[in-house]
Each structure stands twice: as C-alpha cells, then as structure tokens.
Amino acid sequence: MANMKSTSERRTPVLIVGGGPVGISLAMELAWWNVESVLVNERPTTSLHPKGSTLNSRTMEHMRRMGLAPAIRKTGLPLDHPTDSIYVTRLAEFELGRLPMPTLREKISNPGPWGETLLTPEPIHRSNQFYFEAVMHAHAEAFEETDMRYAWRLSSFEDHGDYVSAQIEDVRTGRRETMHCDFLVGCDGGNSIVRRQLGISYGGRSSSGDRFYDGTMLSIYIRAPNILEVINMPVAWHYWTINPKGRVDFITLDGEGEYVLLAEVPPGVPIGEIDVSAIVQNAIGADTEFEVISVEEWLAGLALVVDNYQKGRVFLAGDAAHLFTPSGGFGFNTGIDDVSNLGWKLAAVLQDWAPIRLLDSYEVERKPIGIRNTAASGDYANKIGSLEFSDFVDENSERGVLARESLKSTLLTFKEEFASLGIVLGARYNTSPVISSDGSQPPPDERATYIPSACPGGRAPHYWINEHLSLYDQLGPWFTLLCLGPNPPDIKTFELAASKLNVPLRTVSIKDEAIYDLYEASLCLIRPDQHIAWRGNKLPEEPALIIRKVIGYDVVPN
C-alpha cells in the first residue's frame, strides 16, 4: 500500500495561502491575466459563519471587471429590502435615530450619471461574506488557471532568492506536496503563518478591552423567522441596540429571518459562562422564537498594519497585512484592493514585460492605504464605543423620553461610518515610483467625500458614455490609453513604443467634451487596476520613458 503521507513535487507561478475573499480575489485576478496559481486553505469549505456584511463600491468595481458583480448582487438582501441603519433601545421598543439609505433596486435599476451611480457604476452592496464568498469561490474554480485546494494547509516555506519552495499538506489524508513557486502570497488572516514565518510584526492601535467595539466580542448567528412581528419601527438592515443591559450590533443577513449579532462581552466573564440567548433576547426586547446557529469570539478595537508587506518573493495581503474593527466596513474591502494592485504586477513580471522590481512598488503604494483605512476604522470604532447614554434611556417614562431625545442629537453625528466614499474611492498613490506626476495637486483626502480627479495616482474618475455606457467596461485588461475630446493628438508613436517594450496596450477614443473637462487632458494612461499612471495634452517626446517608468524600471529595489 502506498504511503499516504508521501511527498510529491509540483511547480506553480503563484502559491496563495488563504481562501477567504482576498485570497480568492487574487486567484481570480491572476486567472484574469492568464496566470496559473494554486490556493491552499485549511478550512474544508468557504465561511459558514457570518463575517463582514458590506461590499463597497471599489470592491464591486473589481468584481465587475471580472464579470462577477451580477452574481454577487443576487446574494444578501433582497432587491426591495430596506438598507437603513438605525439606533434603537431594543428592536421591540424605541427608535432613537435613522440613517435612510436606498434599496438595492433603487440603487441599480437605472444606472447612469445620477443618484447612487453618479460617481461609480457599482454602488455599495449589502451581502454577508459567507454568502458572497461561496459565489466568488465557484467563479474562481471555473478558471482553468486556478487550482483551489480547500482542506490543505501550508506547513512551511523557504525563499531561495530565485524561487520559493513550500510544504503543503492535505489535512484529511496527511498527504504532502512540495510546491515550487515564483511567488508566495499570504492572504491567511490575522494569525497568518506566512507573516509569522517571515518574522513580520503588526504596529498600530491594539484593543483597550474596556468598552463596546473595543475588546472581546461575540458574533452570534441566529434564525428568527417571526421577528418582524415584534419589531416596533419600520424595518431596517442594521440595528444598533443601546440599553443598560448591553449593546448589540444587530445585522440583517437575508431578509428572511437570518441575522448576525455583534455583542459586547462583560469584562472578566469566561466565554463559556455567557448566556448567549439572554443577549439575543435583550436586544430584541420581546418574546419571539429564535435559534442560535453558531457563535464565534473575536477582538474589536484593532487598527494594526504590518511593518512590511513584502520580503523577497513573499507578500502579505488582507488581514495578514492589516487588522480592522468592522466599523466602516473597510477590512476585506481593503484587502481586495490590495490584490488588485499586486495581481497585475505579479502577472506583468511573470509574463516578462515588466522587471521584477515593479513588485517593490506594492508596499510603497498599499501600506499608506492600510494605515489610512485602519485609522479611519479605529476612529469610527472609538466614537461608537465611547457613546454615553443614560441608565434609563429605555424607560417608558418622562425621564426616559428626555434621555432618548438627548441621545438622538448625539446620534445625528454618527453618519460618516456609512458615508465614507472618500475612503472607498479616494485611495491615491501620489508618491509611487510607478506613477508619472504631472505636477498637479491632488484633491484633499477626505473620509466622507470623494472628489473625482484625474491627477495621476488616483482611481480613474468614472464616466458614463452617452449616459448609459460605463467607461470602465471599455478599458482593456492591461494598460489603456484614453484619447479624449474632439481633437486628441496622434498616438502612433506611443503605441509603437508600447509594442517594442511588449507592453499590452488598448486605446480608447471618446470624443465627448465632458470627459475631456473631467480628465483635464487629451491623453490618459490607465493601469490594469484602473489607477491613472500618466496624463498629458500632448505625447511625451520619448513615450518609451513614460512606459518604462509605469512598469517599474525606475523603482529602486528593496
């Protein structure tokens, strides 16, 4: 009989460790650019317990690029389910404040340069990770270039300088393989084995452990089929319960009776001694049938970023590179933006039209975004956790009415967490060595407000062609040169320079005066991740110098 633990060998361009949304996204990104990868994930399936509940607009733009946005929008809340976020004492008691938001149907039924699609073709979508992750996994598996190995784990790896060897193991049979890869990417979460073996540490704000959203929390997955019968206000998506017996973040999952509750844990009480049903009952505030499906413990209040995103041929992305508290919904969304940046660079190097030092721009570009986004999330969490309220805010009495009125005025300031379009769409790589600056000043980096700008380094401003055709759908999979306005210059020398350097380039001509006014230039070079690499009103004297810069020839190796 063969030894089930015998070791075989295999080669792959990229080994991805971790099969959450970030790892799956990287596998899809690489396959999109015809690069093979092997993904290993210790769990045998995608997530079975609820996690993050929001795919932001930037993530949905990436999903659109890979043809996945329509399938993801079929998960999560139904088309007409309210998406309001509200503050209540309990679901069956008093409403304290409401942030109205449009339903999915209202957001996507008539896309164009108006409403929720004014600045992006893909508005925010409310769906929990354990729904959309399964859809992403199925989509990734459909690519010939992907080998998705769930119930496999990474045991160890070694960077040999010109390749990486990794030991992986089937957790069910014990069978081992030695994987030889050009690059290894750790997308394996906060306890990343890749990060720990590299000896890379987190820096930033740790949990204080002394208040809501800043310490040990429980994530409670329930089914409550008749809960709508006891909710004492218009239905919402997100309920924040505030009362003296405990605060809970109560989130609708499917609109059909499934919810996840994020609840504070009393200090010093062992998890095994906590009455989970009592937490659920207190948050609802009335008798109704519910079933606790699963419970997980987690730590809130973190705003941590690793010292290094890369060592040699090994990279970190997602929670392996930065840890968030879920306030703002930036966690896995920031990770998906990480791999949209890293993916095309890996592919360009592996396809031999960019130098390996292009990869050193990954940390230069993404670490500042990790610091920026974790800081915003941490500030939101601190504001939520520091909220003060009266011990009789839930009383049906005159003093209870006064307490609720006082609290309402405070809660009116709690809007930025749900209106952070500046964080979502405003990430910029101004100081990157693979961005060709034109000397213009970028707009201010404001958390709540996104200001469209074609200043090199930022996301290309979206534009609706003839009001219904998305600019992003016209971009090529690699670099795209936009020729804008009625009289753009001849671009033959630019195309010839790209061809000589073997850099894949698509050209797109749009005659509208409005897009010329938006981009403030006749020519604009868009990267594969939709960030602007260069712009100008005339061709550079030596186009090859610009092209060489944006594919990494000016990067100083780490």
Side-chain angles (χ1 to χ4, degrees):
M1 180 179 293
N3 180 2
M4 292 300 291
K5 294 188 178 182
S6 62
T7 300
S8 59
E9 294 191 359
R10 181 183 161 181
R11 191 189 180 286
T12 185
V14 181
L15 176 62
I16 302 167
V17 183
V22 176
I24 297 173
S25 290
L26 179 56
M28 291 192 297
E29 291 277 358
L30 293 170
W32 177 248
W33 291 304
N34 305 117
V35 173
E36 293 181 353
S37 67
V38 173
L39 181 150
V40 295
N41 187 74
E42 189 164 359
R43 294 191 320 268
T45 66
T46 54
S47 298
L48 299 177
H49 183 90
K51 295 186 178 180
S53 289
T54 296
L55 297 104
N56 69 27
S57 291
R58 191 68 185 120
T59 290
M60 291 303 297
E61 288 173 355
H62 293 313
M63 296 302 106
R64 181 189 186 103
R65 178 163 47 84
M66 289 179 280
L68 191 53
I72 286 180
R73 290 203 183 274
K74 292 179 181 178
T75 69
L77 294 184
L79 275 170
D80 295 309
H81 193 284
T83 65
D84 297 355
S85 182
I86 67 173
Y87 298 89
V88 300
T89 56
R90 295 175 179 85
L91 274 65
E93 289 183 347
F94 306 105
E95 181 174 328
L96 302 168
R98 180 177 292 258
L99 180 62
M101 289 182 275
T103 66
L104 177 58
R105 188 186 301 276
E106 290 167 340
K107 286 186 286 193
I108 68 170
S109 61
N110 185 29
W114 43 69
E116 296 297 310
T117 55
L118 174 64
L119 299 173
T120 173
E122 292 291 343
I124 192 170
H125 183 57
R126 306 297 188 186
S127 176
N128 196 274
Q129 179 176 329
F130 80 145
Y131 295 141
F132 69 75
E133 190 178 282
V135 174
M136 291 174 67
H137 177 269
H139 191 77
E141 274 199 319
F143 287 101
E144 292 183 0
E145 294 86 355
T146 60
D147 181 356
M148 309 287 285
R149 299 196 189 185
Y150 282 61
W152 281 76
R153 65 174 164 236
L154 174 72
S155 300
S156 63
F157 65 89
E158 182 178 357
D159 187 341
H160 299 274
D162 55 352
Y163 74 98
V164 178
S165 62
Q167 306 300 316
I168 63 173
E169 180 182 2
D170 186 328
V171 299
R172 295 162 296 195
T173 66
R175 184 168 69 89
R176 300 188 184 106
E177 280 191 24
T178 297
M179 192 71 62
H180 297 288
C181 54
D182 293 287
F183 303 102
L184 186 151
V185 185
C187 305
D188 50 339
N191 292 316
S192 167
I193 185 176
V194 177
R195 178 184 62 80
R196 286 183 280 124
Q197 186 171 325
L198 288 174
I200 293 176
S201 301
Y202 288 112
R205 178 184 183 275
S206 296
S207 174
S208 68
D210 62 359
R211 58 185 180 271
F212 184 62
Y213 257 59
D214 198 352
T216 302
M217 303 272 291
L218 290 185
S219 173
I220 307 167
Y221 175 26
I222 69 166
R223 184 176 294 112
N226 303 314
I227 196 171
L228 296 182
E229 297 175 3
V230 300
I231 292 179
N232 191 39
M233 65 278 299
V235 172
W237 157 65
H238 194 170
Y239 307 83
W240 298 84
T241 71
I242 302 171
N243 64 70
K245 291 186 177 180
R247 297 177 61 184
V248 166
D249 189 358
F250 202 117
I251 303 169
T252 310
L253 295 175
D254 64 351
E256 297 180 359
E258 293 196 349
Y259 299 84
V260 63
L261 287 69
L262 307 180
E264 59 185 330
V265 173
V269 179
I271 298 298
E273 297 179 12
I274 294 174
D275 188 340
V276 172
S277 293
I279 292 174
V280 177
Q281 186 67 54
N282 178 62
I284 297 173
D287 290 333
T288 188
E289 175 189 359
F290 65 85
E291 173 193 2
V292 176
I293 300 171
S294 58
V295 180
E296 291 189 358
E297 181 183 353
W298 61 287
L299 187 63
L302 303 176
L304 300 172
V305 179
V306 290
D307 299 329
N308 300 102
Y309 277 47
Q310 171 194 6
K311 276 193 177 180
R313 289 177 171 264
V314 183
F315 301 83
L316 300 174
D319 284 358
H322 37 67
L323 287 175
F324 289 77
T325 293
S327 45
F330 304 140
F332 70 77
N333 289 291
T334 301
I336 288 174
D337 214 23
D338 287 342
V339 296
S340 78
N341 182 294
L342 178 60
W344 77 266
K345 294 173 181 177
L346 288 170
V349 171
L350 288 164
Q351 294 178 5
D352 291 327
W353 54 265
I356 193 168
R357 59 183 181 270
L358 170 65
L359 299 174
D360 291 334
S361 69
Y362 169 61
E363 179 178 311
V364 173
E365 293 186 342
R366 291 306 299 172
K367 184 177 179 181
I369 303 304
I371 293 171
R372 162 189 184 259
N373 291 8
T374 54
S377 178
D379 288 348
Y380 296 160
N382 184 58
K383 187 174 183 179
I384 293 166
S386 300
L387 178 68
E388 296 182 355
F389 56 92
S390 166
D391 286 342
F392 38 86
V393 69
D394 57 340
E395 281 188 7
N396 189 13
S397 64
E398 183 176 347
R399 68 175 186 172
V401 171
L402 293 174
R404 288 190 289 277
E405 288 301 319
S406 175
L407 185 55
K408 283 180 182 179
S409 62
T410 301
L411 293 173
L412 288 174
T413 68
F414 281 56
K415 294 182 178 180
E416 191 172 293
E417 180 192 350
F418 298 98
S420 302
L421 205 58
I423 292 288
V424 172
L425 300 181
R428 300 192 55 84
Y429 309 141
N430 298 327
T431 61
S432 169
V434 294
I435 296 296
S436 181
S437 173
D438 63 357
S440 60
Q441 288 298 311
D445 187 11
E446 298 179 358
R447 290 175 178 176
T449 305
Y450 167 66
I451 303 171
S453 169
C455 175
R459 161 189 171 272
H462 184 259
Y463 181 78
W464 289 102
I465 304 167
N466 297 325
E467 294 195 342
H468 288 288
L469 188 64
S470 169
L471 169 66
Y472 290 172
D473 294 343
Q474 314 311 307
L475 302 180
W478 292 108
F479 281 88
T480 301
L481 183 63
L482 296 181
C483 305
L484 306 176
N487 298 299
D490 188 286
I491 59 169
K492 289 179 182 177
T493 57
F494 200 101
E495 291 176 305
L496 180 60
S499 177
K500 287 183 176 180
L501 290 167
N502 295 316
V503 175
L505 177 72
R506 174 182 291 183
T507 59
V508 174
S509 178
I510 304 172
K511 300 294 186 181
D512 301 6
E513 289 275 7
I515 193 170
Y516 174 84
D517 293 340
L518 176 63
Y519 276 72
E520 300 181 301
S522 299
L523 300 172
C524 195
L525 184 63
I526 312 297
R527 303 191 329 184
D529 59 2
Q530 299 173 341
H531 279 251
I532 295 175
W534 168 86
R535 71 172 173 176
N537 274 311
K538 61 181 181 179
L539 282 178
E541 291 184 6
E542 296 188 58
L545 293 181
I546 295 295
I547 296 170
R548 286 173 62 86
K549 179 178 180 63
V550 302
I551 62 172
Y553 280 96
D554 288 356
V555 175
V556 177
N558 290 336

